[in-house]
Structures are given as structure tokens and as C-alpha cells.
Amino acid sequence: MGMKILLVGSGGREHALAWKIARSPLVERLWCAPGNAGMAREGKCVSIQADDVDALVRFAREKQIDLVVVGPEVSLVLGLVDALNAVGIAAFGPSRAAAEIEGSKVFMKQVLNKAGILTAGHGVFTDIQAARAYVQGQGAPIVIKASGLAAGKGVTVCHSLPMAMETLNRIMVQRELGSAGETVVVEEYLEGEEASFLVLVDGKNVIPLAGCQDHKALGEGDTGPNTGGMGAYSPAPVLSQRLTQRVLDQIIEPTVATLAAMGRPYRGVLYAGLMIDGSRIQVLEYNARFGDPETQPLMMRMKSDLVPLMMAASGGSLADCAIEWDPRTALCVVMASGGYPMSYRKGLPISGLDTVANLEDVQVFHAGTAQKGQTLVTDGGRVLGVTALGENATAARQRAYEAVRLIRWEEAYYRRDIGYRAVAREAEEEYPDQA
């Protein structure tokens, strides 16, 4: 008998995980809760929301699920893993106590300080007057973060003092982010190149996933407001082998050891958002789950079966595991609804996916889609993650955009420069005299 797996979530990250899990020879049945139109092709979707812990536990017991894979942070912070473990069901993801590393930016800073890890200078505020005075004293540019979960919209880089004051007002007075903004972290602005560093953890042992770089800003050249992510690629040239080892030794291992010492052993996938400036590495954030859209290129490149790795992480036996990667580059371009990350229309018909399905080494991961009868329609801000493999970043990007241009809906928006740093590096290597 093969395994029965329940995957929780409905975004692009979850579709990429569903696509990978469905290809495991160990898996007999896959359910997705609530899933999306793309995930319905990989497994059976059930209409249980990711934050309905009781209903998810009931379903897992009823179907005798062998492993629950938890995609979104909201389920983790609500304690879904604890509730499943309490009834003897294995789950991939951290406990509620360990997931606080993402659920509270204040707690994350405490862990970093305890572990002696370099992070941006910062102040923590619940009082707007005190926050304003701190910002005034620090000057701009400055970064303002809501401490709680804000679906990727809680971080604002403020390039001027008026913008910083307006941001504090939106979060702390107008409560645009609800309870996530009750506490605010104000940090120094860090220069450098961002990278996403993901590892599998079993409470003690750590296995790195391939390096990644994502593009959070809405506009080309990393301009405009922050989003949940407009594209990503792997590997990230900035994460050299030497740098990777340093991140493991000086950042990841001490974090995992500190959480264990605090009585909050971490199991699942741990995502470090890093700022790299020459040899200086600082932690921008920790996430308690796979990144979105980083998961899409990572799953395209992972040659190993994901399921035994998840079982090992949840069961404390990662020490004997290894991961094999496709040496090629995978690049994901996010196609979003016009107006995202602010207000946008839903229910717009999408065309062109049948043509793209015939392209080699291209996979379209659904993020915000729904099926209306025979028609696939938009159903979210980030709609699709068009992901391609190529010999290098230049080739992967060319293939991804070739597919993007075949897909259409009214007001579709995407950045046209995903992977620009890696492509520029490759051009320099090819034509060193002209660099």
C-alpha cells in the first residue's frame, strides 16, 4: 500500500509541492486542502481552508493520512502540526512554538540576538509616538515591519521620512494590517544583494536546499512596493559554495541549536532571507515554511524524491539523507492580476495554457486560479508561476518568457527582468572585456 498524503494550502508554492509529491513512487493518494485549479490535476481538492485546524485534523484521521504537508505560515502559527501530532499523525512543518520565528518578528530578533547572529539594528514599538521619535532620530532610508503575519505585505522600505511617517500611520493608527501591526519593528536599511537560503531541519540535523534569489518588488529593477514575490531563480550565483558553508555554520546551525535550547525544536523547512554585502551576511527575516515563489524553481531542480526527505525531517532522521539537484538553472516568472498588490479584479478568463503545456522543460504552477465550468479564471493577486529550466539563467529566462508571452488574460502583469543579476553576471563572464 502506498502513502496517503494531505497537502494544506492553495498557492503557487503548494502547487509546486503537489506536482513534486504526486511524482513520488511512494504516494498512492494525494489530497489538497483547499487546493486550486492547478492542484486539482495532481490530487483531489477538498474544500477545507488552511486555517480550519479542527476540520483538517478530522479529515486526516478519517482518511488515515500518513503525512500532512503544511504549506502556509498561518496553519503553522495556529498550531496545526501540534494538533496533528497530538492524535498520532505525522506532519511536515514546525510546531506552533517553533513557527513563532516567523509569526513574531520580535521573537525572531530575540533568537538572533541569543544566537549571536548579525542582524539589522532595530527598535520595537507598540506606541506610535515612540516609533515616530525613533524614526525621526534615525532618518531615511529605513525599514518598517509589522511584527505579525501580514501575507508578505508587512515590510515597507521607506526612502523618505514622510513615507516612513505615513507607513507608521497606516500600520499603527489605521490598522491596515489588523492585529499583525500591533507591534512594529523599525530597522536600519541594509545595502547589498538579497538571497533566499532554505534548509530542511529535523530538530537537530540540517540539509541545505539549493540557493535561490527572489524578486519582491513589484516593478523592474526592484522598484515599487513589496509583494509576496514576482519571480525567483535557482541557483543564485551570489551564494557561492564558500558563502553557503558560512551561512550554515554561522547562521543556520546556531539558530537551530538556539531554538532547541529554548525548548522549541524546529522541524520542517526553515527559510532565511539574507542580505549579502561582500563578505558581510545579515539575516533579514526567517520564514517557517517554503518560500513562494522560490519553491517553484526548487521543485523543478530537485531530482531526489521529496517525500522521504519530508518524512525524515518530521521524524528526526535527516542525518542519513542527501539531495540530488539538476545542475541547470530554473527560473520562475510570476504573472499577476493588474493592480496587485493593491486591489484587482477576479474571475478573468485565462487562455494559452494548452499551448504552453507542449513546451519542453516548462511548468506552469497555479497560484490564484479557479475553474468556472470549462473555463480557467483568475482568482487572486499572483495568478501563475511560469517556471522553466535552461542550461544557465539566460537560457532559463528566455524559455520562461517565451511561455509567458503565450498566456493571456485581461490586465495581466509581470516583471520583464526576472533573473537580471544572474543574466548580467553571465554576460560579464562571456564578454569580460566589455563589462
Side-chain angles (χ1 to χ4, degrees):
M1 281 290 282
M3 287 177 70
K4 295 176 181 173
I5 291 186
L6 170 63
L7 172 61
V8 178
S10 60
R13 159 186 53 220
E14 285 81 22
H15 185 192
L17 292 172
W19 175 79
K20 186 71 179 155
I21 289 165
R23 277 147 189 76
S24 169
L26 303 174
V27 176
E28 185 191 337
R29 294 288 311 269
L30 171 64
W31 284 273
C32 306
N36 63 33
M39 292 165 77
R41 291 164 199 173
E42 307 296 348
K44 186 171 172 50
C45 291
V46 290
S47 56
I48 305 173
Q49 294 308 308
D51 59 359
D52 194 343
V53 171
D54 294 344
L56 289 166
V57 173
R58 260 199 317 275
F59 182 84
R61 291 184 82 170
E62 185 190 306
K63 297 291 183 191
Q64 298 180 315
I65 297 292
D66 297 299
L67 178 69
V68 178
V69 176
V70 186
E73 58 274 24
V74 64
S75 317
L76 298 165
V77 170
L78 287 171
L80 176 58
V81 170
D82 310 67
L84 289 161
N85 289 166
V87 295
I89 295 170
F92 176 80
S95 66
R96 182 185 208 148
E100 205 178 334
I101 199 153
E102 176 169 9
S104 163
K105 291 189 169 61
V106 174
F107 175 70
M108 182 202 81
K109 290 287 189 185
Q110 288 167 358
V111 173
L112 290 170
N113 292 337
K114 237 186 181 100
I117 295 166
L118 205 57
T119 182
H122 65 284
V124 175
F125 304 95
T126 50
D127 172 70
I128 183 127
Q129 299 307 83
R132 282 176 182 148
Y134 182 83
V135 167
Q136 199 74 48
Q138 297 295 316
I142 198 160
V143 182
I144 296 173
K145 300 180 174 182
S147 180
L149 292 183
K153 299 180 184 75
V155 178
T156 308
V157 178
C158 303
H159 295 286
S160 68
L161 280 176
M163 184 184 179
M165 295 304 172
E166 187 205 335
T167 302
L168 287 175
N169 209 39
R170 279 193 298 104
I171 297 174
M172 299 181 86
V173 179
Q174 293 165 18
R175 287 298 168 93
E176 270 189 18
L177 301 172
S179 62
E182 281 172 11
T183 302
V184 163
V185 177
V186 181
E187 325 191 306
E188 68 171 312
Y189 172 76
L190 300 179
E191 295 281 355
E193 191 170 338
E194 276 190 57
S196 307
F197 195 92
L198 287 83
V199 295
L200 296 179
V201 192
D202 66 4
K204 184 182 157 194
N205 301 296
V206 171
I207 295 187
L209 296 170
C212 243
Q213 191 164 63
D214 80 334
H215 299 64
K216 287 195 173 70
L218 181 69
E220 270 104 46
D222 297 326
T223 55
N226 262 3
T227 68
M230 293 304 297
Y233 61 96
S234 172
V238 69
L239 281 168
S240 64
Q241 216 171 343
R242 190 176 57 82
L243 218 51
T244 296
Q245 199 54 52
R246 261 189 67 199
V247 174
L248 281 170
D249 296 343
Q250 295 171 17
I251 294 171
I252 303 295
E253 300 273 7
T255 300
V256 170
T258 300
L259 284 166
M262 292 169 87
R264 304 176 185 232
Y266 193 99
R267 290 196 167 117
V269 62
L270 181 63
Y271 166 134
L274 305 174
M275 183 63 85
I276 299 167
D277 188 9
S279 62
R280 185 179 166 91
I281 309 170
Q282 288 180 279
V283 177
L284 292 174
E285 62 176 353
Y286 268 124
N287 292 326
R289 35 74 194 179
F290 280 104
D292 189 347
E294 293 95 334
T295 308
Q296 291 85 311
L298 284 176
M299 291 304 111
M300 285 281 279
R301 289 191 60 219
M302 187 184 281
K303 291 178 98 166
S304 305
D305 189 341
L306 178 63
V307 175
L309 291 164
M310 288 179 157
M311 290 296 288
S314 60
S317 54
L318 267 180
D320 307 324
C321 299
I323 305 175
E324 189 190 347
W325 297 98
D326 190 316
R328 292 177 294 172
T329 296
L331 185 139
C332 170
V333 177
V334 170
M335 298 184 72
S337 298
Y340 172 80
M342 309 312 277
S343 59
Y344 49 83
R345 289 202 290 159
K346 289 184 178 182
L348 302 168
I350 302 168
S351 67
L353 288 177
D354 293 345
T355 316
V356 173
N358 298 319
L359 299 180
E360 204 182 332
D361 288 331
V362 172
Q363 200 61 42
V364 178
F365 296 113
H366 293 229
T369 63
Q371 198 73 42
K372 288 271 167 74
Q374 294 300 300
T375 312
L376 184 76
V377 298
T378 65
D379 193 40
R382 294 188 294 171
V383 179
L384 300 171
V386 181
T387 312
L389 281 165
E391 286 310 314
N392 55 19
T394 309
R397 176 158 89 159
Q398 197 174 341
R399 191 166 283 162
Y401 279 111
E402 188 183 312
V404 163
R405 285 190 287 271
L406 295 169
I407 301 168
R408 289 200 166 79
W409 71 86
E410 211 182 318
E411 298 169 12
Y413 170 78
Y414 56 90
R415 273 181 61 167
R416 288 165 171 76
D417 65 344
I418 301 302
Y420 71 88
R421 284 193 178 93
V423 169
R425 275 193 173 96
E426 286 169 5
E428 279 177 28
E429 283 160 19
E430 204 174 338
Y431 308 107
D433 299 341
Q434 293 170 31

